[in-house]
Amino acid sequence: MTAYGIIGTGHLGSMLAEEFIRRGAINREELWVSNRSQEKAQKLARKLGVRAADNLKVAERSDVLFLCVRPVDLKGVIAETSELLTPEKLIVSVAVDFSLRQLENLCRARAARAIPSVASGKGLGVTLLVLGSDASEDDRSLLFRLFGSIGWPVEVAEEQ
């Protein structure tokens, strides 16, 4: 069983958690969530029937970790969890203003970027996917399956 984590349960992180669970892309028992405000993470966890914890525990427990924090906070979250971000893990950043190269330089995990559209919350959005240099074909298939559950994933080059 693959374990998933979402660090950052603001608008985008919450939408991904809700839609992945609602559409059956991720089972409730597979998902961990964390937020700067633990109260907010706990509230989402109760609503969805998933588990909430701090960033370290979510990073430790997750095979696939979605980083849904503001670009200004991303370096700090990665620094906090970097020892746990091993090559066995896939991290997926949704930060538009933080390049895949920057992400890959900060940790050892396989990396990808996902830029979902607002319409993804209705299952009608396009998600742009950029895969890192160490991402595998299995990573690509997984991301296409997950984001395909909430719309249409399209793989693009980083420059796009």
Side-chain angles (χ1 to χ4, degrees):
M1 177 168 76
T2 301
Y4 299 89
I6 296 177
I7 294 179
T9 58
H11 178 71
L12 190 54
S14 292
M15 181 275 292
L16 290 177
E18 289 176 27
E19 292 303 310
F20 287 156
I21 295 292
R22 188 167 77 80
R23 297 174 186 280
I26 296 176
N27 295 320
R28 284 174 169 75
E29 62 275 1
E30 297 172 331
L31 183 59
W32 290 81
V33 297
S34 179
N35 194 68
R36 185 176 51 214
S37 159
Q38 279 302 305
E39 182 180 317
K40 192 172 186 178
Q42 292 289 342
K43 183 178 177 182
L44 181 65
R46 284 191 301 274
K47 177 182 176 182
L48 298 179
V50 302
R51 293 176 268 194
D54 62 30
N55 290 353
L56 287 172
K57 188 164 194 164
V58 170
E60 177 185 14
R61 299 288 171 119
S62 302
D63 301 308
V64 179
L65 182 62
F66 292 89
L67 301 175
C68 299
V69 298
R70 300 176 306 171
V72 69
D73 297 326
L74 193 54
K75 258 187 176 172
V77 169
I78 293 171
E80 175 189 5
T81 59
S82 65
E83 290 298 316
L84 302 167
L85 302 179
T86 63
E88 294 76 35
K89 296 183 186 274
L90 173 64
I91 57 171
V92 183
S93 171
V94 300
V96 176
D97 297 334
F98 203 92
S99 76
L100 194 53
R101 184 174 309 238
Q102 288 174 288
L103 197 58
E104 290 175 321
N105 287 337
L106 291 173
C107 69
R108 298 173 295 141
R110 302 180 323 275
R113 289 181 65 205
I115 312 298
S117 69
V118 174
S120 296
K122 300 293 182 196
L124 300 170
V126 171
T127 299
L128 303 179
L129 295 174
V130 182
L131 296 163
S133 57
D134 290 340
S136 68
E137 186 57 38
D138 286 344
D139 295 334
R140 182 182 185 280
S141 296
L142 173 74
L143 292 175
F144 267 76
R145 180 183 65 77
L146 290 172
F147 286 99
S149 75
I150 61 171
W152 297 273
V154 176
E155 189 172 354
V156 296
E158 176 79 357
E159 311 78 63
Q160 296 175 304

